[in-house]
Amino acid sequence: MTEAGEKINNMNIPDDLRYTKDHEWIRIEDDTAIVGITDYAQGELGDVVFIEVETQGEELDKGEVFGTIEAVKTVSDLFMPVGGEVIQVNEKLDDEPELINKDPYGEGWMIKLKYSDLSESEDLLSPEDYKKMIES
């Protein structure tokens, strides 16, 4: 992994991201945001075999489900860290869902969104708070 961050029990927690209690991460870039799941989440899920996101073009509120991720052992919902319009889905994941396991903060990103209200990100966890949450 190429992002700067700390290793916590072999989990990478980049310090330039914000995190949800549901283990999504968000990276703000100008008026858009990139969203994926954390290294910790992909490790807990195991081998990712499929991701389904059918919300491109939709306006969703913070906390709403934007898709699902299927691993060998389970299927989990994916939640919006902030409200906004899903403007792009990572199409590479259709053929290579394992990118989520290999590079969750890089090529394994899931969606890009045009956020409605950036202040919603203030409720998200800092890297330090996310670290404390997964260690407890």
Side-chain angles (χ1 to χ4, degrees):
M1 294 182 205
T2 57
E3 304 294 325
E6 286 186 66
K7 292 277 186 183
I8 310 302
N9 301 326
N10 293 329
M11 296 298 146
N12 186 13
I13 303 174
D15 53 16
D16 63 334
L17 306 176
R18 302 292 284 185
Y19 301 89
T20 70
K21 291 179 179 169
D22 296 306
H23 307 286
E24 286 87 14
W25 58 262
I26 183 170
R27 177 182 296 120
I28 306 296
E29 294 184 348
D30 300 318
D31 64 344
T32 61
I34 301 171
V35 177
I37 65 165
T38 66
D39 191 26
Y40 177 81
Q42 70 78 23
E44 291 293 299
L45 285 169
D47 293 337
V48 175
V49 294
F50 185 70
I51 177 168
E52 182 174 41
V53 179
E54 295 181 347
T55 51
Q56 185 163 337
E58 291 184 27
E59 185 84 24
L60 299 171
D61 292 330
K62 179 177 181 173
E64 280 194 273
V65 173
F66 71 80
T68 57
I69 186 167
E70 184 176 339
V72 174
K73 27 182 179 174
T74 189
V75 176
S76 297
D77 287 334
L78 299 164
F79 300 97
M80 294 284 284
V82 296
E85 178 186 354
V86 178
I87 57 172
Q88 187 178 351
V89 175
N90 186 350
E91 293 179 4
K92 281 186 182 179
L93 299 179
D94 291 343
D95 296 324
E96 299 177 84
E98 66 275 7
L99 287 173
I100 294 166
N101 295 113
K102 292 179 186 170
D103 190 11
Y105 302 114
E107 289 194 48
W109 64 272
M110 296 179 176
I111 61 169
K112 291 186 181 179
L113 60 97
K114 185 170 183 71
Y115 54 81
S116 343
D117 182 0
L118 189 56
S119 70
E120 289 182 334
S121 68
E122 293 169 9
D123 295 341
L124 299 176
L125 300 171
S126 68
E128 297 78 24
D129 290 338
Y130 184 71
K131 173 186 167 187
K132 288 177 191 166
M133 184 188 86
I134 63 174
E135 286 180 334
S136 59

